[in-house]
Amino acid sequence: MKVFKFGGASVNSADAVRNMALIVKNHLESDPLVVVVSAMGKTTNLLEKLVPGVRCDDVATLRRQLEDYHRTIACALMPDNVEVQQTIDRCLLQLDESIASLSDDESCYNFNYDQVVSYGEILSTSIIACYLKSLGINTVWGDARRLVHTDSHYREGRVDWSATRKAVLSFVSESKRCSVILTQGFIGGTDDGQTTTLGREGSDYSAAILAYCLGAADVTIWKDVPGFLSADPKFFHDTVKIKEIPYNEAIELAYYGASVIHPKTVKPLQNMNIPLYIRSFISPESEGSAIGNYHTISPETPLYIFRDNQILLSILPRDYSFIAEDNMQVIFGMLNTLGIRVNLMQNSALSFSICIDNNPQLVERLTSRLKNMFRVRYNDHLQLITIRYYTQEVIDSIVADRHILLEQRSRTTEQLIVPAR
Ligand code: ASP
Ligand code: MG
């Protein structure tokens, strides 16, 4: 069996969905094709603002935008299809009921987040399932909340592999006669039926989880780029397509923030020796990049990863004592409880610095907790740049006249924190 994953950009309009459906249609085989789909376009960002407890002035407008966006796409794809509009009605009703039932207490944020934000994927896959069926493709809709079993670590659910495997195998064996098994990326559920999510951009990971459970032949992630590029073309003109990437290199790159794949995606595939292809949905006939059992990247070239919207917190003991293991334990405890990932850290005797994504709600919560024990200074509007296989020349050209706030260098990797441009 094969697993395909389509991200938000590949289903962000009616035309995009038509294109996606054509790719699916051109790859049907005797075994069902497992298709994992994200929320349409930027829906997840919109839904984040509807989470109870998030300060947002224009909830009604956003709610309307969400509805209009999905209805417009569904209408354009299937003008006279009553069923799809009823499906959208049902999804939105469930979403509204869920929002109304949630407490806006700050301590419920992570739980609330998953209950609300998961509707992006529910909506997209519900519409796309109707569309594939309308094209005559025998499609079954799989509910990832019942397939991908996780613990109750909301916003970053940890997979229960054996329960997931059991659920996935049983669902797939019931669906053997279908051409397409369509399910949601990003979302899962606990044993007692609460919805969880796997972390932002987690749909790639969902595809890997399903592939692992099924022992799939391969996974293809369809993207708006021709493959794995040496840098994000949004930031860089002269990019090179990397044709072959060893599993471990892909894990490192994803960890540093290469947005082309989610950090947790590669490991399950590596464990089962399942190749991961990255291909362009804009030119689906062209060859992309392959992540697999290779020794080195090919071609060999420096790789650049830019992480925007960073904030650097410097944490200092109030009493001028050292930042030691006991303080670190407290700080990491807070980070862990709040589900904040550290992108880079550095310590000295008197201060501990962490670079994290600037999510205002979480940063505010973190700093208010830290301030009980520490002094906290911060710099925001920063960019974290990582260069793998750097040369001094490459670093100089990237830094140019920018002020470096923090720098870390290893044999293979240079990391810099600089003000955003
Ligand atoms: N819709 C989710 C997000 O935007 C998951 C994904 O797209 O991978 O983060
Ligand atoms: Mg996405």
Side-chain angles (χ1 to χ4, degrees):
M1 290 181 86
K2 290 175 180 292
V3 178
F4 278 10
K5 180 261 172 172
F6 291 90
S10 65
V11 291
N12 66 1
S13 66
D15 278 343
V17 175
R18 284 189 194 102
N19 179 60
M20 173 257 170
L22 194 63
I23 294 174
V24 166
K25 208 169 168 186
N26 288 339
H27 288 87
L28 295 179
E29 295 180 343
S30 53
D31 274 337
L33 180 65
V34 177
V35 179
V36 175
V37 181
S38 300
M40 290 174 161
K42 305 264 181 247
T43 300
T44 306
N45 294 354
L46 188 157
L47 283 165
E48 281 184 338
K49 301 193 187 113
L50 296 181
V51 177
V54 171
R55 261 169 258 128
C56 170
D57 302 332
D58 233 348
V59 171
T61 312
L62 289 173
R63 169 64 180 75
R64 204 166 335 107
Q65 270 175 21
L66 176 80
E67 176 159 357
D68 291 350
Y69 178 56
H70 288 90
R71 287 206 195 277
T72 307
I73 291 177
C75 269
L77 292 169
M78 297 158 276
D80 306 312
N81 190 317
V82 183
E83 193 196 321
V84 70
Q85 295 301 335
Q86 286 171 344
T87 306
I88 295 174
D89 289 342
R90 241 188 342 267
C91 293
L92 292 172
L93 183 68
Q94 285 166 7
L95 170 66
D96 292 339
E97 285 176 354
S98 170
I99 291 176
S101 73
L102 296 169
S103 141
D104 53 15
D105 193 279
E106 177 191 293
S107 64
C108 303
Y109 175 72
N110 289 349
F111 173 78
N112 290 350
Y113 183 97
D114 288 359
Q115 309 320 304
V116 173
V117 164
S118 50
Y119 277 92
E121 272 70 13
I122 301 290
L123 279 162
S124 71
T125 52
S126 301
I127 295 169
I128 292 167
C130 288
Y131 181 58
L132 294 179
K133 286 183 203 161
S134 79
L135 298 178
I137 301 173
N138 186 352
T139 304
V140 62
W141 186 86
D143 188 339
R145 295 169 295 189
R146 307 277 166 275
L147 295 174
V148 178
H149 286 250
T150 72
D151 65 3
S152 52
H153 203 98
Y154 295 102
R155 281 185 54 237
E156 193 80 57
R158 284 176 291 219
V159 175
D160 175 341
W161 290 93
S162 83
T164 301
R165 189 158 179 275
K166 215 167 127 200
V168 169
L169 288 177
S170 123
F171 184 73
V172 168
S173 81
E174 285 162 24
S175 315
K176 270 272 178 288
R177 267 189 251 118
C178 292
S179 306
V180 170
I181 297 174
L182 180 74
T183 191
Q184 307 79 44
F186 181 51
I187 72 175
T190 62
D191 290 342
D192 54 3
Q194 302 291 3
T195 305
T196 54
T197 65
L198 305 173
R200 282 304 307 261
E201 306 299 330
S203 295
D204 295 352
Y205 183 40
S206 302
I209 295 166
L210 297 175
Y212 176 91
C213 293
L214 293 164
D218 52 52
V219 176
T220 305
I221 298 181
W222 295 92
K223 306 264 319 172
D224 56 359
V225 286
F228 203 121
L229 301 176
S230 57
D232 187 332
K234 269 182 255 155
F235 298 107
F236 223 75
H237 302 300
D238 302 322
T239 56
V240 179
K241 182 168 85 189
I242 313 297
K243 293 203 182 106
E244 295 173 352
I245 305 143
Y247 286 119
N248 282 346
E249 180 67 35
I251 293 172
E252 294 284 356
L253 292 168
Y255 170 81
Y256 288 122
S259 58
V260 75
I261 41 169
H262 182 272
K264 289 184 186 164
T265 306
V266 182
K267 197 77 199 141
L269 302 178
Q270 180 179 26
N271 289 351
M272 293 285 278
N273 220 344
I274 301 170
L276 171 62
Y277 302 114
I278 297 165
R279 295 179 63 180
S280 161
F281 62 76
I282 299 160
S283 57
E285 62 298 327
S286 52
E287 210 182 319
S289 299
I291 296 168
N293 249 329
Y294 306 105
H295 285 299
T296 55
I297 58 164
S298 161
E300 289 186 33
T301 180
L303 306 174
Y304 304 83
I305 300 141
F306 299 86
R307 256 188 124 107
D308 272 336
N309 196 24
Q310 300 295 296
I311 181 163
L312 182 65
L313 298 182
S314 295
I315 304 162
L316 306 100
R318 285 196 177 281
D319 54 2
Y320 295 95
S321 64
F322 289 158
I323 277 276
E325 288 70 12
D326 49 352
N327 289 324
M328 299 270 208
Q329 189 176 19
V330 172
I331 297 167
F332 278 107
M334 291 176 188
L335 291 165
N336 187 37
T337 318
L338 291 168
I340 297 177
R341 202 202 104 145
V342 178
N343 297 328
L344 186 143
M345 62 185 126
Q346 188 153 297
N347 68 308
S348 70
L350 297 177
S351 92
F352 180 56
S353 302
I354 54 171
C355 179
I356 58 179
D357 294 346
N358 194 358
N359 173 329
Q361 274 92 28
L362 289 175
V363 171
E364 193 191 305
R365 252 164 244 170
L366 174 66
T367 47
S368 77
R369 287 180 196 197
L370 283 169
K371 277 179 182 159
N372 295 328
M373 285 180 69
F374 305 97
R375 287 184 297 137
V376 182
R377 300 211 194 104
Y378 74 93
N379 284 85
D380 55 3
H381 303 295
L382 301 178
Q383 189 180 47
L384 171 62
I385 305 175
T386 303
I387 313 169
R388 297 276 284 168
Y389 313 113
Y390 61 84
T391 60
Q392 192 55 49
E393 205 185 331
V394 158
I395 295 174
D396 293 344
S397 74
I398 286 284
V399 172
D401 52 358
R402 297 167 90 179
H403 169 64
I404 301 173
L405 281 94
L406 202 152
E407 181 171 14
Q408 264 178 23
R409 187 176 297 192
S410 76
R411 212 157 33 83
T412 50
T413 310
E414 164 84 4
Q415 290 196 287
L416 301 152
I417 300 176
V418 293
R421 276 209 223 272

